[in-house]
């Protein structure tokens, strides 16, 4: 990406509003919720992002000069593409000569994590329009002549995207890819040579061991960096835990679990509302500035009882926080609701919804709302530590690599007993590093986290 790199202070001040905040992610992505921002200081657009080695960095995009950002081009989907992919499109930030300086994809800067939001709505919800207005960057919708302009090469196009950083840091992906390629090479040589090759067997064992070892290192680094990120800003002025009510036999109800009760939380920071779900994903929403919501809305049913909580924006768009039954219907819920109202610098209003609207599950527990997961197996899957780009096949490949380390160690036991023992030890250790976290995850889920709470004692 073009721009000027700077290293920020260890504990930076809050980003001035309006500022864009990234999509909430769990695991290593929690750090991005606290750190990554896109804002303007009057002289440049400033991008806070995570670098290749996980280093917190800033990049500046000047608003003046021959390579400064002078205007923005809105490229929105049209025709069939708009119907199938309404979220497609982008903002291209151009210099005075019309050359692209950066690309802004608003759907990557939606803290609520909504999927498929049309780009015009995403521009408002993310605060991108307010940010460009504050920076003095005019926005123009692309016409036929603009769309006919030749694009940059693919790699250059990807480098221009303003992104908070990957959920998994770049060093981890590089290590995994490098180790995987070397493992495939060494395994191919061992399999097709037909002879005893202790050196290649050792290389296969070492590269197979690198993957589970790197994942274990990443887990430790993630825990340390997430704790560090939590200290970047001021302490929260209020923390509200769920106070779920008893199930209503006449209505569909998802029984809250210990995971939801102990992990989900609402935090009010100066200028921000943090909504943390039961998997640790932290959605940060601004409370000041043009992109902030206008009111905290308590939804009530036809009988007058509260049913849900939402945020209302000036445009009329609303974002769900959660169902009343999940957060404020139980013992202590009234006090928790009052503390939330007192801490938020927003007016509170009641809005009655009819029975037909209540039948829509997206009203109370829609995208962005924090609610218990209906099924324990879904909760276990969602709570997994993030996998690599290869998804499930990556784990299967790691297991196969460790297994083959043990198997091929026997083929060189006579020629090189030391290498055979080393390869077998690396293979067995690699299997242990994979199955131990997996077993611990499932045992904690089955025996504690995914168990319904006791209604006699709702305290975590």
């Amino acid at each position: 990406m073009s721009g000027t790199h700077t290293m920020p202070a260890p504990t930076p001040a809050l980003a001035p509003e309006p500022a864009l905040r990234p999509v909430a992610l769990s695991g290593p992505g929690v750090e991005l919720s606290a750190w990554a921002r896109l804002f303007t200081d009057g002289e440049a657009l400033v991008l806070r992002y995570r670098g290749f080695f996980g280093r917190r960095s800033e990049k500046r995009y000047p608003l003046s000069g021959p390579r400064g950002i002078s205007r923005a081009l809105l490229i929105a989907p049209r025709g069939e593409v708009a119907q199938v992919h309404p979220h497609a499109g982008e903002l291209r930030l151009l210099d005075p000569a019309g050359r692209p300086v950066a690309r802004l994809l608003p759907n990557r800067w939606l803290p609520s994590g909504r999927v498929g939001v049309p780009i015009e709505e995403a521009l408002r919800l993310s605060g991108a329009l307010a940010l460009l207005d504050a920076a003095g960057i005019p926005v123009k919708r692309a016409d036929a002549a603009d769309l006919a302009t030749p694009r940059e090469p693919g790699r250059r196009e990807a480098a221009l995207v303003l992104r908070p950083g990957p959920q998994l840091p770049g060093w981890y992906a590089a290590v995994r890819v490098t180790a995987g390629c070397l493992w495939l090479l060494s395994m191919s040589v061992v399999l097709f040579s037909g002879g005893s090759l202790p050196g290649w067997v050792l290389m296969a064992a070492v590269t197979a061991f690198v993957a589970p070892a790197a994942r274990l290192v990443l887990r430790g680094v993630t825990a340390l960096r997430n704790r560090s990120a939590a200290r970047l800003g001021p302490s929260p002025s209020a923390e509200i835990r769920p106070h779920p009510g008893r199930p209503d036999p006449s209505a569909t109800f998802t029984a809250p679990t210990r995971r939801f009760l102990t992990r989900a939380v609402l935090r009010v920071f100066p200028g921000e509302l943090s909504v943390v779900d039961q998997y640790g994903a932290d959605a940060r929403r601004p409370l000041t500035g043009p992109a902030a919501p206008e009111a905290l809305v308590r939804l009530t049913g036809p009988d007058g009882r509260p049913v849900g909580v939402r945020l209302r924006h000036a445009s009329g768009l609303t974002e769900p926080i959660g169902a009343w039954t999940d957060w404020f219907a139980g013992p202590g819920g009234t006090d928790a609701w009052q503390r939330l109202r007192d801490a938020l610098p927003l007016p509170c209003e009641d809005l009655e919804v009819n029975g037909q609207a209540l039948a829509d599950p997206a009203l109370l527990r829609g995208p962005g709302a924090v609610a218990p997961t209906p099924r324990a197996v879904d909760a276990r899957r969602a709570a997994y530590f993030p996998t690599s780009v290869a998804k499930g096949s990556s784990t299967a490949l790691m297991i196969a690599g460790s297994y083959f380390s043990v198997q091929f160690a026997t083929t060189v036991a006579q020629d090189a007993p030391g290498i055979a023992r080393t390869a077998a030890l690396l293979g067995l250790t690699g299997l242990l590093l994979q199955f131990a976290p997996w077993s611990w995850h499932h045992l904690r889920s089955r025996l504690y986290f995914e168990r319904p709470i006791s209604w006699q004692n709702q305290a975590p």
Side-chain angles (χ1 to χ4, degrees):
M1 287 186 293
S2 61
T4 303
H5 295 262
T6 61
M7 290 309 301
T11 306
L14 293 174
E17 298 296 342
L20 273 58
R21 294 160 172 83
V23 171
L25 299 169
S26 59
V30 174
E31 180 186 5
L32 297 178
S33 298
W35 167 252
R37 297 290 185 273
L38 180 63
F39 59 94
T40 178
D41 61 2
E43 297 180 354
L45 283 184
V46 182
L47 173 67
R48 288 182 183 168
Y49 69 103
R50 177 163 61 191
F52 182 85
F53 291 105
R55 196 174 185 181
R56 300 180 188 123
S57 304
E58 283 187 356
K59 190 172 293 185
R60 297 174 59 83
Y61 296 84
L63 298 175
S64 59
R67 288 294 293 167
I69 300 172
S70 64
R71 56 195 175 95
L73 193 65
L74 171 59
I75 302 177
R78 301 184 180 187
E80 294 183 1
V81 177
Q83 296 178 359
V84 179
H85 303 288
H87 60 283
E90 63 181 79
L91 277 172
R92 298 183 71 83
L93 307 180
L94 309 176
D95 65 12
R99 295 184 297 264
V101 177
R103 298 167 59 204
L104 177 59
L105 309 180
N107 277 276
R108 295 192 179 185
W109 297 89
L110 287 175
S112 63
R114 288 188 177 188
V115 179
V117 177
I119 186 170
E120 289 84 358
E121 184 177 343
L123 288 172
R124 293 193 297 269
L125 278 177
S126 65
L129 288 180
L131 173 63
L132 296 179
D133 183 65
I137 302 174
V139 179
K140 171 198 170 187
R141 181 178 287 269
D143 54 26
D146 296 318
L147 297 176
T149 303
R151 295 293 186 91
E152 300 285 330
R155 183 175 298 180
R156 165 71 173 165
E157 285 280 307
L160 289 174
V161 176
L162 299 172
R163 66 187 80 209
Q167 182 177 17
L168 296 174
W171 67 263
Y172 177 70
V175 167
R176 289 290 304 273
V177 170
T178 303
C181 292
L182 292 176
W183 179 81
L184 287 174
L185 173 63
S186 56
M187 282 298 299
S188 300
V189 173
V190 171
L191 285 172
F192 297 106
S193 66
S196 176
L197 300 174
W200 287 99
V201 169
L202 181 61
M203 178 182 289
V206 170
T207 52
F209 176 76
V210 165
R215 179 182 287 184
L216 188 64
V217 170
L218 177 61
R219 285 176 178 268
V221 170
T222 293
L224 293 176
R225 294 193 64 86
N226 283 349
R227 292 194 190 100
S228 172
R231 298 190 293 268
L232 287 176
S235 300
S237 57
E239 287 193 5
I240 291 85
R241 297 282 177 178
H243 295 77
R246 289 179 176 272
D248 185 354
S250 64
T252 302
F253 184 87
T254 301
T257 60
R258 293 184 183 275
R259 181 185 299 278
F260 175 72
L261 194 65
T262 58
R263 298 293 181 87
V265 62
L266 305 177
R267 294 191 179 102
V268 182
F269 293 92
E272 282 188 339
L273 171 63
S274 165
V275 182
V276 182
D277 68 13
Q278 63 265 40
Y279 310 114
D282 187 355
R284 301 285 184 104
R285 294 178 174 88
L287 294 176
T288 60
E294 280 202 335
L296 177 68
V297 180
R298 180 173 62 175
L299 303 179
T300 60
D303 57 0
R305 290 189 298 178
V307 293
V309 180
R310 301 178 75 91
L311 296 173
R312 180 178 61 78
H313 293 265
S315 62
L317 296 171
T318 61
E319 291 184 295
I321 297 298
W324 189 269
T325 303
D326 300 330
W327 283 90
F328 304 108
T334 302
D335 292 339
W337 171 247
Q338 189 60 48
R339 285 193 291 117
L340 180 63
R341 290 187 56 178
D342 293 342
L344 287 176
L346 300 174
C348 181
E349 56 189 36
D350 289 339
L351 176 64
E352 182 178 342
V353 293
N354 56 37
Q356 184 177 2
L358 286 177
D360 181 6
L363 178 68
L364 306 179
R365 291 172 173 154
V370 181
T373 306
R375 298 170 50 198
V377 65
D378 295 331
R380 276 190 288 276
R381 188 179 299 112
Y384 276 135
F385 194 80
T387 58
S388 64
V389 178
K391 304 297 182 183
S393 61
S394 172
T395 300
L397 190 61
M398 285 197 301
I399 295 174
S402 297
Y403 168 76
F404 282 122
S405 297
V406 178
Q407 182 181 15
F408 282 100
T410 61
T411 65
V412 296
Q414 293 184 350
D415 299 335
I419 287 179
R421 286 193 294 269
T422 302
L425 180 61
L426 289 174
L428 292 174
T429 306
L431 289 173
L432 178 63
L433 292 182
Q434 294 169 74
F435 282 107
W438 181 88
S439 300
W440 177 244
H441 172 80
H442 278 265
L443 285 174
R444 284 201 308 167
S445 174
R446 294 176 183 276
L447 300 179
Y448 182 77
F449 278 128
E450 267 47 82
R451 288 189 174 274
I453 65 170
S454 170
W455 297 104
Q456 286 73 31
N457 181 17
Q458 296 182 13

